[in-house]
Amino acid sequence: MFNQPISRRESIKRIAGFSAAAAAWSWPSIAIPGQGASGRVVVVGGGFGGATAAKYLKRMAPELAVTLVEPNTRYITCPFTNLYLGGIRSFESLWHSYDELRQRYDVEVIHELATDVDVDGHTVELASGTRLAWDRLILSPGIDIRWNELDGYDEAAAEKAPHAWKPGDQSRLLRQQLAGMKQGGTFVLVAPDNPFRCPPGPYERVSMVAHYLKNHNPSAKVLLLDAKDGFSKQGLFMQGWAEHYGDMIEWVSRSNDGTVIRVDADRLEVETEFGMIHAADVLNVVPPQKAGFIADRAGVTDASGWVPVRPDTFASALVDDVYVIGDATQAAPMPKSGFIASTQGKVAARAIAAELTGRVLLPEPSWANTCYSLIAPEHGISIVGVYEVYNGQLREVPDSGGVSPMGADPLFRQLEAEYARGWYAAITQDVWGTPAS
Amino acid sequence: MQNIRLIAMMFGLLAIGFTEPVWGWQRIPEIQAVLAGTEPRMAGVRLEVPAVTQDGSSVPVTVTVDAPMRADAYVEAIHLFATRNPSPELAEYTLHPLLGRASLSTRIRLDQSQAVVALARTSDGEWLGAVESVRVTVSGCLSRAGTYTSDNHMQVRVRVPDRLRTGQVGEVRTMIQHPMETGLREDASGRVIPANIIEELHVKWDDQPVLRARWHRAMAANPYLLFSIAPAQSGALSMRWTEDTGATAEYRAAIEVRP
């Protein structure tokens, strides 16, 4: 990937934007007289980012016409799919509907795939050929897999060696394979280099897989081949693995030849950088990723395959009137998590509502993220990050956030597992209006 | 209050826009020492680094010089610098035309967001260069234990092709287990951990030196190097890593070359 330094022209453009805001003394609400009248916003993608943005646009500015485009009639969350794999949560409990958005917030929800964006004409094209006009567009497209970037891993291979990194049939397939694995078999998970969706996800996944195996296939092994030398909440995970699963889980770091460079899905084998062949009975490949394809169609991605954004509003850094939120964005140090996607949805909604209505909306955005992970059903751990805009870039607020303590007692871990369930109930109620069960 | 913050942000943007990344690196003494008064042509070098990285402790870097590798015209040296590290030198590589291609991949440490500079000297004495900026963030969800194990200190991993066709360029991957202690880190009791690094990797094709890598403390732990080899006939590739203590590790592999 090639990195383009910020060009002079781009810098000047940015400074000009901020100067205009300074002159108005009402930043970030830049009133543009005459443009607020139509007030039409299209949101592409009904996940944590998009559904939140649609809902909060209507809450902040009910007079705006908001359309949400999402092919699925129900949304399945990525968070907690690992609990489904581990057999401690039903698949149906991860489903969420768009009824609240339609009925309570008067959002038009269209269940179609958005196939193209015309940024000059301000339209989105749907699979049926329908074109939707917008004054502001929000893209919350999530991730796409970079097929074949990992040699041998294409869509056909994923039917044999599932990624299960976008929930749905892939999650079910992996669950079936896990349940059907021979006694004493080896479950191999291939973890990618950064950046990827849900940094603690692969490690929670092997925890939940080990939980399932401990009860149903106790002589099985779990091999985690990693393209990295460290991972999120590493110390806590490794301590928890030893405590609950003994030596069932083996983590192979990049410097111990953990980087997989080739997948043979027919033979369920993988080859590492230095030539080791590992055979699997169940092979779960978490492949390299990029922003969802509609971001490319809109021209908002850069050479990295991800979307650069303006940190105060999540407006695209490249295309006017288009906002991008969630996993597709280059928002580090914010992680690619559902929680932060939802927060970004609120920030973008606020910026758009202010622009289109000319009103000043309070309060100022603030960002925080919590990632809970379960190591066992009653063993939860977490990491918290708090973020701000500093010198025009996102950063972690100094001396904020943190992770669960090492060596805490079982009650502490149990409480964090309870908080994890509470977090899921609260955020899905906020985003989709799903009643807490 | 908001106005003050806004003005501060504007100045911040000015600073980012105009001082990072491309200006000023020519004034770094270590770079001046290497260039010795010559002006590099900022062309012909492709420097691949991530625009944004979540882990400054191991940033992948690939340098490719768009120049021939023939006995009469080749790239004889590549230097890497990190402009805002505590010490800017990263690595110096001396190359031989038998490599077949002037392309190296490695991993470096970046202390903060900064520009990375690659300079290459051709056999006719010309300096070529490239500069790219990397933004280093530390993601909360990516915080890590940050400890190294020493049970396999200086263990070597190498991947060499068994056989090549005449004229084919083969790829060689190498890695040695080593913490690459910078001498800037403290242990749990607050004592500075002394510097301890792999200083050199020396590669020979039979008796001919083909690649010498000199590494500084900002190379990532477990030094990794991917390079190429294009031998004319069958022979053996041998490698020797040298630690700053004088300790060495060796590896040797034969490559069969067929028409």
Side-chain angles (χ1 to χ4, degrees):
Chain A
M1 99 189 67
F2 295 96
N3 154 33
Q4 296 294 329
I6 298 168
S7 71
R8 288 274 301 273
R9 194 163 152 266
E10 174 64 13
S11 310
I12 291 162
K13 221 166 93 188
R14 287 191 197 182
I15 292 157
F18 275 89
S19 304
W25 289 144
S26 59
W27 175 82
S29 139
I30 307 166
I32 306 169
Q35 287 209 351
S38 51
R40 206 178 155 77
V41 183
V42 172
V43 182
V44 175
F48 281 90
T52 302
K55 174 172 172 173
Y56 277 79
L57 272 167
K58 292 297 284 188
R59 282 183 58 164
M60 293 170 186
E63 69 270 37
L64 297 177
V66 177
T67 302
L68 178 68
V69 180
E70 162 61 49
N72 299 303
T73 54
R74 61 170 176 243
Y75 186 76
I76 308 171
T77 60
C78 266
F80 279 25
T81 48
N82 288 331
L83 280 59
Y84 158 69
L85 289 173
I88 61 173
R89 188 146 184 137
S90 75
F91 203 41
E92 293 73 19
S93 76
L94 310 177
W95 297 355
H96 304 277
S97 89
Y98 295 98
D99 292 347
E100 189 199 48
L101 279 178
R102 276 202 185 90
Q103 290 158 16
R104 185 162 168 203
Y105 291 99
D106 196 27
V107 171
E108 182 189 15
V109 182
I110 300 178
H111 292 301
E112 271 201 63
L113 184 70
T115 53
D116 207 352
V117 176
D118 176 355
V119 295
D120 297 323
H122 278 51
T123 58
V124 170
E125 188 174 326
L126 308 184
S128 61
T130 307
R131 276 173 188 276
L132 302 175
W134 45 266
D135 297 303
R136 296 294 183 275
L137 175 66
I138 299 181
L139 300 177
S140 185
I143 57 153
D144 272 358
I145 307 295
R146 290 179 189 265
W147 299 114
N148 288 308
E149 172 138 326
L150 189 52
D151 190 12
Y153 199 69
D154 56 15
E155 281 160 291
E159 296 304 314
K160 292 163 181 160
H163 54 79
W165 220 241
K166 294 170 119 182
D169 293 343
Q170 280 275 305
S171 321
R172 284 201 162 112
L173 176 61
L174 186 60
R175 166 84 190 147
Q176 282 162 14
Q177 291 184 350
L178 175 64
M181 190 168 85
K182 73 173 190 206
Q183 287 296 309
T186 301
F187 181 102
V188 174
L189 186 142
V190 176
D193 202 353
N194 296 317
F196 63 98
R197 161 178 277 178
C198 191
Y203 314 97
E204 183 188 63
R205 176 163 294 175
V206 295
S207 305
M208 289 291 99
V209 164
H211 169 73
Y212 177 86
L213 293 173
K214 186 180 175 182
N215 292 313
H216 298 92
N217 191 346
S219 58
K221 298 292 286 183
V222 178
L223 183 63
L224 175 43
L225 300 173
D226 208 328
K228 299 179 294 303
D229 269 341
F231 57 87
S232 177
K233 296 179 267 191
Q234 182 175 349
L236 290 164
F237 271 114
M238 296 186 87
Q239 194 178 62
W241 293 343
E243 180 185 332
H244 295 283
Y245 310 118
D247 56 2
M248 181 185 265
I249 299 172
E250 184 189 354
W251 175 62
V252 183
S253 66
R254 184 178 61 78
S255 56
N256 283 306
D257 199 17
T259 303
V260 168
I261 59 165
R262 190 178 61 84
V263 173
D264 186 335
D266 292 325
R267 300 169 65 96
L268 293 184
E269 280 179 359
V270 295
E271 180 183 342
T272 64
E273 188 176 23
F274 289 97
M276 281 280 281
I277 304 285
H278 295 279
D281 294 290
V282 174
L283 179 56
N284 178 199
V285 178
V286 182
Q289 300 153 27
K290 61 182 178 182
F293 82 98
I294 198 72
D296 256 345
R297 304 297 309 161
V300 294
T301 52
D302 68 12
S304 71
W306 304 100
V307 177
V309 289
R310 292 165 194 265
D312 50 337
T313 58
F314 278 70
S316 160
L318 304 176
V319 177
D320 289 341
D321 299 337
V322 179
Y323 292 69
V324 189
I325 54 179
D327 293 351
T329 61
Q330 221 172 60
M334 292 177 179
K336 296 188 187 301
S337 76
F339 190 132
I340 208 77
S342 175
T343 306
Q344 292 164 359
K346 291 174 187 176
V347 168
R350 175 182 178 280
I352 291 171
E355 273 189 34
L356 293 180
T357 65
R359 292 200 296 270
V360 177
L361 292 171
L362 296 170
E364 285 287 298
S366 66
W367 291 272
N369 180 72
T370 306
C371 289
Y372 287 101
S373 302
L374 290 191
I375 295 177
E378 298 303 329
H379 184 144
I381 56 172
S382 65
I383 181 163
V384 175
V386 186
Y387 309 96
E388 64 181 1
V389 179
Y390 181 79
N391 276 352
Q393 294 189 322
L394 291 166
R395 71 163 186 181
E396 281 190 88
V397 174
D399 301 318
S400 70
V403 296
S404 310
M406 291 288 286
D409 60 48
L411 178 63
F412 192 96
R413 303 298 191 212
Q414 191 185 348
L415 280 172
E416 284 224 282
E418 193 55 39
Y419 300 154
R421 291 185 280 267
W423 167 81
Y424 187 85
I427 197 164
T428 55
Q429 184 162 42
D430 183 27
V431 179
W432 294 277
T434 308
S437 51
Chain B
M1 270 308 282
Q2 199 185 52
N3 301 351
I4 292 166
R5 213 179 101 207
L6 191 63
I7 291 161
M9 281 179 67
M10 287 169 63
F11 278 105
L13 280 170
L14 281 169
I16 287 164
F18 295 127
T19 65
E20 262 190 357
V22 250
W23 292 357
W25 62 267
Q26 293 95 334
R27 288 195 293 276
I28 292 171
E30 290 83 352
I31 294 181
Q32 287 181 333
V34 166
L35 289 173
T38 54
E39 184 74 21
R41 189 157 61 92
M42 299 308 280
V45 178
R46 201 169 66 190
L47 176 58
E48 292 170 74
V49 288
V52 181
T53 180
Q54 292 165 323
D55 181 5
S57 73
S58 183
V59 181
V61 175
T62 297
V63 192
T64 305
V65 186
D66 181 21
M69 288 298 270
R70 298 190 314 257
D72 60 333
Y74 61 98
V75 177
E76 59 179 26
I78 293 175
H79 293 244
L80 290 176
F81 299 93
T83 52
R84 289 191 189 168
N85 270 359
S87 48
E89 294 135 309
L90 294 168
E92 300 110 54
Y93 302 92
T94 310
L95 291 73
H96 186 275
L98 266 177
L99 296 183
R101 200 162 54 205
S103 182
L104 303 169
S105 295
T106 186
R107 285 180 174 259
I108 62 171
R109 290 182 173 128
L110 294 178
D111 181 51
Q112 55 177 301
S113 298
Q114 59 187 294
V116 175
V117 177
L119 297 172
R121 192 180 67 240
T122 63
S123 54
D124 49 17
E126 187 185 20
W127 282 98
L128 307 171
V131 54
E132 295 289 349
S133 68
V134 181
R135 190 157 75 84
V136 178
T137 68
V138 180
S139 167
C141 261
L142 289 161
S143 76
R144 44 188 283 191
T147 52
Y148 301 104
T149 55
S150 56
D151 50 355
N152 48 9
H153 190 73
M154 289 186 78
Q155 183 193 325
V156 165
R157 283 196 174 84
V158 176
R159 188 164 197 185
V160 178
D162 297 337
R163 56 181 67 86
L164 293 170
R165 286 184 308 280
T166 312
Q168 189 186 355
V169 180
E171 196 171 72
V172 181
R173 286 172 198 258
T174 69
M175 181 160 58
I176 181 165
Q177 296 279 337
H178 200 280
M180 294 294 275
E181 286 295 350
T182 57
L184 301 173
R185 220 161 67 94
E186 290 177 355
D187 65 15
S189 60
R191 275 188 310 252
V192 172
I193 302 171
N196 175 216
I197 66 168
I198 300 285
E199 287 184 322
E200 188 184 86
L201 167 60
H202 193 193
V203 183
K204 284 181 176 178
W205 176 252
D206 292 334
D207 292 327
Q208 172 65 54
V210 291
L211 177 66
R212 186 188 292 267
R214 298 275 308 165
W215 289 328
H216 298 271
R217 60 185 179 177
M219 296 304 282
N222 308 314
Y224 171 91
L225 183 64
L226 188 148
F227 60 94
S228 54
I229 188 82
Q233 63 271 315
S234 299
L237 196 65
S238 57
M239 298 166 214
R240 193 182 69 235
W241 290 258
T242 309
E243 201 186 32
D244 51 9
T245 59
T248 59
E250 299 198 2
Y251 186 92
R252 194 182 139 85
I255 301 178
E256 188 188 338
V257 178
R258 283 191 274 191

